[in-house]
């Protein structure tokens, strides 16, 4: 693979760094999934400081690496953060679930804030996880993969079901099917924000289906043949489920070289 991105060095967080506020994450038009349906989905609890914790989604891409957004770890206490793999109902630990500590987080070196782009991060687990039907890595989109409004795509997560409405107990993993919105069309709706080429948009223009707070970092996967391919990472949006405000996602295919360089995946 030929890498055209400029690599300026890695920002690596350790257990002595502290916290930040997340900008976006959950899905409207959501529905419960079957356990094991999306085996790459992970739950990441992020310790903001010694009293406050928040959470993001993420996707398993190998036995020891998780892909998510940089915003989730822009200043956090890694020592007390952790990843739950195979999680289903957050309030009930599944027998298929594995909990891992975090060894290292690699943020994209050009990340500053989500709506400026480069909202991508890699999380290295403290040890490899054993794969199973409930814990399995997702395939990543390649630079030449194209996703259109005709592509079947789904987002998953434990985020809010609408603005300011948390997912109700037992907090079962949710899914929502989202149409891809062409970047030019998306830009015409986000006239105050720049929709970069390394971003992609998805969601109903009437606002009936969307991701929301708590879904940050989670995967947007699209069907290619018989396989599911991760096309995007939940990044930011203008509220949740508002008309003419589709969710904005980090475009995975734009960062394949970066992902491979820092994780080997």
């Amino acid at each position: 693979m030929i890498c055209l991105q400029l690599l300026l060095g890695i920002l690596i967080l350790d257990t002595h760094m502290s916290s930040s506020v997340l900008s976006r994450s959950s899905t409207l038009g959501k529905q419960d999934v079957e356990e094991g349906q999306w085996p790459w989905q992970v739950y990441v609890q992020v310790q903001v400081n010694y009293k406050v914790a928040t959470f993001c989604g993420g996707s398993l891409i190998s036995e020891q690496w998780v892909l998510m957004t940089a915003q989730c770890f822009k200043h956090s206490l890694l020592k007390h953060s952790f990843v739950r793999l195979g999680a289903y109902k957050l309030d009930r630990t599944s027998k298929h679930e594995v909990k891992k500590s975090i060894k290292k987080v690699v943020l994209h070196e050009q990340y500053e804030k989500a709506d400026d782009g480069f909202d991508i991060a890699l999380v290295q687990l403290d040890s490899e996880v054993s794969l199973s039907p409930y814990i399995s890595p997702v395939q990543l989109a390649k630079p030449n993969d194209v996703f259109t409004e005709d592509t079947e795509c789904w987002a998953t997560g434990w985020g809010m079901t609408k603005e300011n409405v948390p997912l109700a107990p037992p907090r079962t993993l949710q899914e929502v099917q989202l149409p891809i919105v062409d970047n030019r069309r998306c830009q015409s709706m986000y006239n105050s924000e720049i929709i970069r080429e390394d971003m992609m948009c998805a969601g109903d223009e009437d606002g009936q289906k969307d991701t929301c707070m708590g879904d940050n970092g989670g995967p947007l996967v699209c069907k290619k043949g018989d396989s599911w391919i991760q096309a995007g990472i939940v990044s930011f949006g203008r509220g949740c489920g508002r008309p003419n405000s589709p969710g904005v996602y980090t475009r995975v295919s734009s960062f394949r070289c970066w992902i491979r360089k820092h994780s080997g995946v």
Side-chain angles (χ1 to χ4, degrees), residues 42-48 53-58 66 68 73 76-85 87 90 93 97-103 105 123-126 171:
V42 304
Y43 170 92
V44 185
Q45 181 159 311
V46 182
Q47 197 70 29
V48 177
T54 186
F55 73 92
C56 285
V66 166
M68 54 192 302
F73 274 102
S76 306
L77 298 172
L78 296 195
K79 185 176 181 180
H80 300 285
S81 299
F82 58 84
V83 178
R84 291 170 64 180
L85 305 102
L90 292 183
T93 302
E97 184 176 329
V98 175
K99 181 178 176 181
K100 292 284 186 181
S101 297
I102 295 171
K103 180 178 181 179
V105 174
V123 173
Q124 185 178 21
L125 306 177
D126 64 343
R171 296 190 292 164

Side-chain angles (χ1 to χ4, degrees), residues 15 48 120 135 152 180 195-196 216 223 238:
T15 55
V48 177
I120 188 169
I135 301 174
E152 180 185 354
I180 298 296
I195 304 302
R196 298 163 43 92
N216 310 57
K223 198 72 177 288
R238 189 163 50 201

Side-chain angles (χ1 to χ4, degrees), residues 131-157:
L131 303 183
S132 73
Y134 300 89
I135 301 174
S136 181
V138 66
Q139 294 184 50
L140 299 179
K142 299 174 182 176
N144 60 347
D145 283 333
V146 176
F147 305 100
T148 70
E149 61 183 9
D150 297 322
T151 309
E152 180 185 354
C153 299
W154 292 77
T156 48

Side-chain angles (χ1 to χ4, degrees), residues 91 161 166-172:
D91 297 334
T161 53
L167 182 61
R171 296 190 292 164
T172 303

Side-chain angles (χ1 to χ4, degrees), residues 190-218:
Y190 275 91
N191 49 19
S192 62
E193 304 287 348
I194 297 176
I195 304 302
R196 298 163 43 92
E197 290 185 2
D198 57 17
M199 300 174 179
M200 61 187 301
C201 300
D204 283 344
E205 292 188 24
D206 62 6
Q208 294 301 305
K209 294 182 178 181
D210 194 9
T211 48
C212 192
M213 295 298 292
D215 290 325
N216 310 57

